[in-house]
Amino acid sequence: MGWVSTHAHFLGNSGLLSSNDCASNLNLKTLLPPRLRSSRVRSGEARKVVAFHGLRRPPYKLDALEPYMSQKMVEMHWGEYQRAYVEGLNKQLEKNNILYGCTMDELVTVTYNNGNPLPEFNNAAQVWNHDFFWESMQPGGGDIPKQGLLQQIEKDFGSFLDFREQFIEAALSLFGSGWVWLVLKRQKKKLEVVKTSNAITPLVWDDIPILALDVWEHAYYPDYKNDRSSYVNAFLDHLVSWNVATGRMIRAEAFVNLGEPTIPVA
Amino acid sequence: MALRTVFSRRTLASLRSGLSSSVTPTGTRSLVTFSLPDLPYDYGALEPAISGEIMQLHHQKHHQTYVTNYNKALEQLEEASNKGDAPAVVKLQSAIKFNGGGHINHSIFWQNLAPVHEGGGEPPKGSLGWAIDEHFGSLEALVSKMNAEGAALQGSGWVWLGLDKELKKLVVDTTPNQDPLVTKGPLIPLIGIDVWEHAYYLQYKNVRPDYLKNIWKVISWKNASKVYEKECP
């Protein structure tokens, strides 16, 4: 533990963060004795922060999802609504140096704080969720997945239509604000449809999201008013990007063993 | 049909209790069904604080959906409890809470709004006015407290000014989704403000604080005083 005391000594004196690396800062937070932690914050020698999180553009023009999502609605949703979350998050990060330097994924899991979310969680998770959402769609989307992903869906849901029904049912039975996910459950090693409230994301349970649908009212109200059913159907029929889902699935298979490999008989 | 001037005494009486109901006999036991209460003013009467478009959608679509689904859930509940199907009964509870709560809350909401020319926005007088000054310092303090709590509410819900029946004091509280104020204790709702996005998005976009600032211009303190004086004569 000599390493820790050296660091603690250094921080106690200079009042500066020793590194930009979120992970090591977090370790220090738990290892530092309270006195030294507070003296660092109070020292006033805060370093000048140079970079925060930005508003990531969707991978298509803002009018590309017409007529299923009007350009006006996408501009409002991404340009104003999501931007407010990004700016809110950056403002919070200004005050809390511990979290500065974290990636979005780290921010979400750390600020979730095992079910007792910190104030930064709402902003961080909503930024993450919305980025994931825009990337889950493409112009000319819809249709059905192919090959491996389709096989996995058929294995875990029975058929693609069963999955579709479950997805729609989840979206329509979600009370209030939230998200509907196609997620790969790490422990169960299978795909499931999951609905979450407000800003919660399957990341916090260490599961791997494959697709997301925003069912907060702001996501569909301007175009669909209260007709959530038409919105969900439009998403599944015309917007969902199975290409992206397949890519995410391929990456997920590097972390989750989905089944026994077929070993050819010699 | 935007004109809503006809207002039967029966609907008035049942609205005071927050519900509009009619008994329809079905078989041996009669199931009480609920219906959408009429608004005591035109859809456009609350402009510019709340647009007519929002009022119409809010009333005709959202509230109507809650009423319809509440009735459906109650029907299913009766069926399930007659059959003794305990899992089905328990499963229906969230639908009843959500849709029933939605009906209760919105019925209160329409009552505690009023056009400017019918007293909307006029500050409370009499015992409620004094109680507010006593508990919060001033009306402005109460309004900023409710606005702050309403703006901070994550997702969907309501912000309330309530009267604690037992302690006889005013409280400001919030409820998530469509939970009615009674779920938070022995509280009687005096003023409820809907902060679901559907209540303001078309007009105020994502700037909920602007909606909260403006809605006070059409809040009916007259109605709140009536409810308050009934409990604390």
Side-chain angles (χ1 to χ4, degrees):
Chain A
M1 295 307 256
W3 169 86
V4 175
S5 47
T6 323
H7 265 216
H9 180 74
F10 167 67
L11 285 171
N13 284 343
S14 68
L16 289 173
L17 290 174
S18 63
S19 86
N20 217 4
D21 182 2
C22 168
S24 71
N25 285 343
L26 293 170
N27 287 334
L28 283 168
K29 182 185 184 184
T30 50
L31 294 169
L32 274 179
R35 184 180 59 81
L36 280 165
R37 239 187 287 152
S38 55
S39 73
R40 173 168 49 80
V41 170
R42 246 187 265 127
S43 81
E45 262 195 73
R47 72 152 61 166
K48 222 190 195 132
V49 181
V50 291
F52 286 109
H53 297 278
L55 182 62
R56 199 197 295 182
R57 289 197 131 260
Y60 36 76
K61 285 218 185 87
L62 297 185
D63 63 355
L65 301 180
E66 297 250 10
Y68 308 104
M69 268 200 198
S70 66
Q71 178 181 1
K72 193 151 176 271
M73 189 166 87
V74 175
E75 274 171 357
M76 257 199 282
H77 194 177
W78 172 79
E80 292 174 40
Y81 209 89
Q82 190 179 343
R83 192 185 298 272
Y85 282 128
V86 172
E87 288 174 359
L89 177 64
N90 286 338
K91 236 187 274 196
Q92 285 172 321
L93 289 181
E94 260 174 21
K95 304 183 211 141
N96 191 340
N97 287 330
I98 277 287
L99 296 172
Y100 175 68
C102 285
T103 63
M104 257 352 253
D105 285 35
E106 287 169 336
L107 263 181
V108 171
T109 34
V110 165
T111 55
Y112 182 65
N113 198 19
N114 289 312
N116 253 320
L118 307 176
E120 293 86 353
F121 174 74
N122 197 56
N123 286 327
Q126 282 293 73
V127 174
W128 193 96
N129 292 342
H130 280 91
D131 282 341
F132 192 83
F133 173 53
W134 299 122
E135 286 163 13
S136 299
M137 296 189 287
Q138 66 171 78
D143 202 12
I144 59 169
K146 315 264 186 312
Q147 298 181 313
L149 181 52
L150 180 61
Q151 278 170 19
Q152 189 67 38
I153 286 180
E154 287 173 345
K155 177 157 166 260
D156 294 331
F157 292 96
S159 72
F160 180 75
L161 280 176
D162 282 326
F163 151 73
R164 196 198 146 90
E165 248 174 58
Q166 258 188 53
F167 194 87
I168 296 178
E169 207 258 322
L172 297 182
S173 64
L174 194 157
F175 295 147
S177 310
W179 298 78
V180 184
W181 307 84
L182 173 62
V183 69
L184 178 61
K185 294 267 187 182
R186 250 189 241 258
Q187 302 301 326
K188 293 195 206 171
K189 301 192 207 291
K190 63 191 285 243
L191 288 171
E192 271 185 20
V193 166
V194 157
K195 44 184 186 180
T196 60
S197 282
N198 293 355
I200 308 275
T201 155
L203 269 192
V204 306
W205 302 306
D206 203 29
D207 287 328
I208 304 178
I210 304 293
L211 285 175
L213 174 61
D214 189 353
V215 287
W216 282 61
E217 283 179 325
H218 66 248
Y220 58 93
Y221 214 78
D223 286 353
Y224 295 89
K225 306 294 184 291
N226 78 320
D227 190 0
R228 199 188 269 185
S229 169
S230 299
Y231 165 64
V232 182
N233 278 287
F235 173 79
L236 287 171
D237 291 335
H238 302 286
L239 292 174
V240 65
S241 173
W242 288 113
N243 289 334
V244 168
T246 305
R248 288 169 178 163
M249 198 64 190
I250 291 172
R251 183 176 177 272
E253 286 176 37
F255 298 92
V256 180
N257 186 3
L258 284 175
E260 293 304 320
T262 38
I263 300 171
V265 178
Chain B
M1 260 285 292
L3 216 52
R4 292 259 183 274
T5 47
V6 177
F7 209 63
S8 73
R9 189 164 299 167
R10 184 172 68 87
T11 19
L12 255 174
S14 51
L15 268 170
R16 222 175 285 129
S17 64
L19 302 166
S20 178
S21 64
S22 61
V23 179
T24 50
T26 50
T28 49
R29 202 190 297 189
S30 51
L31 179 66
V32 175
T33 57
F34 297 90
S35 53
L36 184 69
D38 284 342
L39 290 191
Y41 36 76
D42 287 354
Y43 286 132
L46 302 180
E47 301 214 355
I50 306 180
S51 73
E53 190 191 9
I54 288 185
M55 288 303 290
Q56 182 164 9
L57 280 166
H58 205 171
H59 182 246
Q60 279 181 355
K61 294 273 150 87
H62 290 274
H63 192 172
Q64 180 64 72
T65 306
Y66 289 129
V67 170
T68 309
N69 290 339
Y70 185 39
N71 287 331
K72 199 160 55 171
L74 288 176
E75 219 179 279
Q76 290 171 333
L77 178 67
E78 215 210 356
E79 217 181 285
S81 52
N82 283 341
K83 280 198 280 194
D85 187 350
V89 168
V90 174
K91 191 164 172 226
L92 282 164
Q93 297 310 307
S94 64
I96 289 174
K97 184 180 187 189
F98 181 67
N99 292 299
H103 174 50
I104 293 170
N105 293 340
H106 285 88
S107 302
I108 295 172
F109 190 51
W110 310 134
Q111 287 302 294
N112 73 204
L113 294 171
V116 173
H117 62 81
E118 283 177 28
E122 259 176 45
K125 307 178 183 64
S127 56
L128 179 57
W130 301 329
I132 288 176
D133 286 343
E134 194 191 318
H135 287 124
F136 300 101
S138 67
L139 181 62
E140 288 73 37
L142 167 63
V143 168
S144 18
K145 184 168 201 257
M146 283 184 77
N147 286 351
E149 300 220 2
L153 194 151
Q154 313 279 21
S156 315
W158 291 73
V159 60
W160 302 95
L161 172 65
L163 170 65
D164 189 318
K165 262 197 292 203
E166 289 165 13
L167 302 175
K168 293 287 186 226
K169 63 186 286 249
L170 296 174
V171 293
V172 168
D173 208 346
T174 58
T175 54
N177 295 342
Q178 291 297 353
D179 292 5
L181 190 58
V182 292
T183 55
K184 282 298 207 58
L187 300 171
I188 296 183
L190 299 175
I191 304 259
I193 302 182
D194 189 350
V195 290
W196 279 64
E197 286 171 331
H198 64 241
Y200 61 89
Y201 204 73
L202 289 179
Q203 188 178 352
Y204 293 94
K205 311 291 188 291
N206 63 317
V207 193
R208 198 193 275 177
D210 279 357
Y211 159 69
L212 288 169
K213 206 166 48 164
N214 283 300
I215 198 174
W216 292 103
K217 303 182 184 152
V218 288
I219 289 281
S220 169
W221 283 109
K222 229 184 333 184
N223 182 70
S225 296
K226 224 178 352 168
V227 178
Y228 180 76
E229 276 152 28
K230 198 159 138 231
E231 281 300 314
C232 302

